Amino acid sequence: MVDQADLLVRGAPVCTMDPGRPWAEAFAVRDGLIVAVGDESEVAQVCGPATQVLDAGAGMVMPGLVDVHSHIGFAGRQIAWELPLAPSLAVAEVLAAVRERARLLEPDEWVVGGILSSAVLAAVGEEASLAALDQASLGRPVMLRDETMHNRWVNSRALALMGVTAASAEPAGGAYRRDGAGNPVGVLLEGASTLAEAAVRASTPDTEARDRHSVRTALSIMNSQGITATMDAATMGHWLDACTQLDQAGELTAWVVACMAAREFVDPGVAGVELFDTAPERRSRHVRPDFVKGVLDGIPMTRTSMFLRPYLSASTHSCPYHGNSFYTDEELLDLLEQAVTRHLGAKLHATADGTVRQALDAIAVIRERHGNGPVFHIAHPEFIHPDDVARFAELGVIADASPGLWFPNPMNTAIAAQIEPHYMERIWPLGELHRAGVPIAAGCDWPAAVVHPDPWLSIQTMITRRNPDLAFPGELAADQALDLPTALRAHTAQSAWAMGLANETGMLRPGLSADFVAVDRHLFQIPVDQIHRTRVLRTWFAGSLVYQAA
């Protein structure tokens, strides 16, 4: 006799994302795995008196969403421990929030928080704003993160604890904004942020317990959005340990694929070869340290991305200025060799067409040396030269589409102020990539760029290229839109495949993990502009209910 299923799911259309059987009436789960999918009569054959029956009700059931790019440690830490700042706050409002927080802290405790908008970061960074932050801090050290997670605003006490003075050299991969006399004025760009993060961590008690709580917090929020697998896209050793410890304790509620950081980047900790070589012992059932992460450039708003065409003229740089890569070509090839020889994939952060081309050139060399086996992602390819679109497909490179901001919004307005207009006409060329046969895997990049993970908004705007918020009218590169099936694949099966989890999750198919979500509407039977209103009713991971709406 066949063992009875633990759970029968029925009562709502089942979107399986399995090309062999796209839709079903029901499916059954046993020991955390899907054991049958099909018509109710078929699935009933593996059920019995002890099988629990779930009537999913209105809406539909689909695989748990798979997010190819997040920072769960940073995000959970922000939610669980730090001062929340809405990106809509102006400088005066940020200062008021810092003052209120400082009143609650001991004299040596840090005020840590975020997120700051790009507009706020652009408005500070002079003697007067440093003095204002010093006054608001009531003598406490302060570190505030911007919306990209690449930059920080700190006060004089923080600079002192970091050991930063006018005589300090610029840090690797970063810079201190300075006044006319060369004195740092509190804005830390890119790699300079790591020193501030290290000072904060050195003052934090019981960091291991806090790290585990941070990861739990982030995953619970992702579960509430229907996400049951994610790629942590810049994993330091302590975050990898926190995930593994939670998994070993049976407390992890999603698959976590770790991209181990090649260098310390805006977070201190074990990175590089030391981390790569210990990956096997840090591995667990649901934690897969299978990728390395290289950050080739920064972000367009601070002119730290590397473009093929120059930025618009500005007094801060001699013209023409294109930006620079954080890696030489030789260093990048060495990183990819380190990954491939350890049987690891690589994710390369490249936000502009200059660094995208640099990444593709390096991957082409590695393909010649090692063939098509290694897996490579290029993350945040907002800007790709038309000649390089086909190279993604030719080289088997996955487009990591994150964050999901392919519509008019303040960040894209800030980007447009820095670059030549023709770039915005093709921003996020997802349509071109798809037509060229390039795999597109979607992610949120939370907490960088977005306040919370929202895959439903991401799915809708891949199709519409419009912001549901009427305060931001119009479309953004409308000819780069995708259709609904393609957008859903990018958030489920395609991302699972890109992360090395195709045999584990991403579809509802016998033998895969029972990771699924029930939502309140049938995505294929509603107007596209209502997808962002989708409400998750329940989320299951490995056959266990990990979220239920109130």
Side-chain angles (χ1 to χ4, degrees):
M1 179 181 175
V2 177
D3 290 339
Q4 294 180 14
D6 304 318
L7 177 67
L8 167 65
V9 180
R10 57 168 301 280
V14 177
C15 176
T16 69
M17 299 308 299
D18 180 355
R21 186 163 199 163
W23 292 92
E25 292 181 346
F27 62 94
V29 176
R30 183 173 61 242
D31 297 330
L33 300 176
I34 296 169
V35 293
V37 180
D39 298 336
E40 275 199 56
S41 58
E42 297 176 81
V43 177
Q45 296 176 24
V46 300
C47 300
T51 302
Q52 177 187 353
V53 178
L54 171 69
D55 191 327
M60 72 182 221
V61 178
M62 61 181 290
L65 302 179
V66 182
D67 187 298
V68 81
H69 197 122
S70 69
H71 301 281
I72 53 176
F74 301 154
R77 181 177 64 190
Q78 200 172 78
I79 298 295
W81 308 104
E82 299 172 358
L83 171 64
L85 297 172
S88 58
L89 297 183
V91 174
E93 294 168 310
V94 170
L95 293 172
V98 168
R99 183 181 296 274
E100 288 302 310
R101 182 75 159 200
R103 288 193 177 113
L104 304 176
L105 301 178
E106 296 298 321
D108 293 329
E109 282 190 83
W110 283 76
V111 178
V112 179
I115 56 176
L116 303 177
S117 70
S118 296
V120 166
L121 201 71
V124 301
E126 54 189 25
E127 291 180 74
S129 58
L130 178 61
L133 186 58
D134 289 343
Q135 185 177 31
S137 70
L138 307 179
R140 279 77 171 164
V142 177
M143 181 187 74
L144 306 176
R145 303 184 184 94
D146 79 335
E147 61 193 346
T148 70
M149 294 294 290
H150 283 237
N151 310 299
R152 306 289 185 272
W153 185 25
V154 300
N155 68 346
S156 297
R157 176 104 190 264
L159 289 169
L161 291 171
M162 294 163 58
V164 175
T165 68
S168 297
E170 300 299 300
Y176 306 113
R177 195 171 289 169
R178 301 172 187 263
D179 63 17
N183 298 303
V185 289
V187 172
L188 313 179
L189 301 178
E190 303 292 343
S193 301
T194 305
L195 292 176
E197 294 285 356
V200 171
R201 190 166 180 86
S203 73
T204 303
D206 200 2
T207 53
E208 288 191 8
R210 286 171 68 105
D211 287 347
R212 289 192 297 272
H213 182 67
S214 297
V215 171
R216 275 194 298 264
T217 299
L219 291 182
S220 69
I221 292 171
M222 297 189 95
N223 293 157
S224 74
Q225 289 293 321
I227 298 167
T228 55
T230 191
M231 178 174 268
D232 187 77
T235 315
M236 308 301 287
H238 61 95
W239 291 123
L240 180 52
D241 290 341
C243 293
T244 302
Q245 290 162 10
L246 289 173
D247 197 23
Q248 291 169 342
E251 298 179 35
L252 204 68
T253 59
W255 299 90
V256 176
V257 176
C259 283
M260 297 174 288
R263 298 172 177 172
E264 279 194 342
F265 184 74
V266 301
D267 194 37
V270 177
V273 172
E274 181 183 355
L275 181 57
F276 306 163
D277 286 342
T278 60
E281 63 200 58
R282 288 177 148 115
R283 190 180 182 89
S284 64
R285 169 74 178 104
H286 298 108
V287 179
R288 307 290 178 88
D290 291 345
F291 285 75
V292 307
K293 173 70 175 293
V295 178
L296 305 194
D297 65 359
I299 53 174
M301 295 85 81
T302 55
R303 298 182 171 231
T304 49
S305 299
M306 187 175 79
F307 283 89
L308 295 174
R309 295 287 303 160
Y311 285 95
L312 299 177
S313 60
S315 60
T316 52
H317 292 110
S318 59
C319 293
Y321 179 73
H322 295 253
N324 300 300
S325 174
F326 299 158
Y327 279 76
T328 66
D329 293 343
E330 293 74 18
E331 288 171 337
L332 179 53
L333 280 172
D334 180 63
L335 171 61
L336 296 183
E337 283 285 357
Q338 290 177 14
V340 170
T341 56
R342 292 170 174 81
H343 306 289
L344 299 169
K347 185 188 290 287
L348 301 176
H349 168 120
T351 60
D353 56 357
T355 33
V356 167
R357 180 165 291 179
Q358 182 190 26
L360 291 170
D361 289 347
I363 290 168
V365 173
I366 297 298
R367 290 289 188 226
E368 291 178 4
R369 294 176 183 175
H370 300 281
N372 295 326
V375 179
F376 298 118
H377 299 189
I378 294 182
H380 324 301
E382 301 166 79
F383 302 105
I384 306 170
H385 191 279
D387 293 347
D388 288 331
V389 170
R391 296 182 70 200
F392 273 76
E394 292 164 4
L395 295 170
V397 176
I398 295 156
D400 166 347
S402 65
L405 295 177
W406 20 80
F407 51 85
N409 64 77
M411 184 174 290
N412 286 325
T413 300
I415 291 172
Q418 303 296 333
I419 59 178
E420 293 180 352
H422 68 89
Y423 275 116
M424 298 305 292
E425 296 171 4
R426 292 182 58 254
I427 187 172
W428 286 113
L430 301 181
E432 293 177 39
L433 289 165
H434 177 61
R435 290 188 288 274
V438 179
I440 298 171
C444 62
D445 201 14
W446 179 52
V450 296
V451 179
H452 58 85
D454 190 345
W456 311 103
L457 176 64
S458 176
I459 291 166
Q460 174 175 312
T461 54
M462 272 189 170
I463 304 164
T464 67
R465 306 286 292 207
R466 299 178 69 89
N467 193 329
D469 185 345
L470 298 180
F472 302 95
E475 298 172 330
L476 192 67
D479 57 343
Q480 301 296 341
L482 303 177
D483 59 19
L484 177 56
T486 303
L488 284 179
R489 280 196 300 274
H491 288 80
T492 53
Q494 194 110 277
S495 283
W497 172 80
M499 291 159 51
L501 295 177
N503 294 324
E504 308 287 1
T505 192
M507 294 186 286
L508 300 179
R509 189 174 68 188
L512 299 189
S513 182
D515 308 333
F516 59 98
V517 57
V519 297
D520 68 342
R521 60 199 69 201
H522 194 308
L523 300 183
F524 290 85
Q525 296 179 357
I526 61 172
V528 169
D529 63 6
Q530 296 300 304
I531 292 175
H532 76 284
R533 300 185 184 276
T534 298
R535 181 169 177 254
V536 174
L537 304 178
R538 300 181 187 89
T539 303
W540 284 262
F541 171 64
S544 295
L545 184 67
V546 294
Y547 171 77
Q548 181 162 334

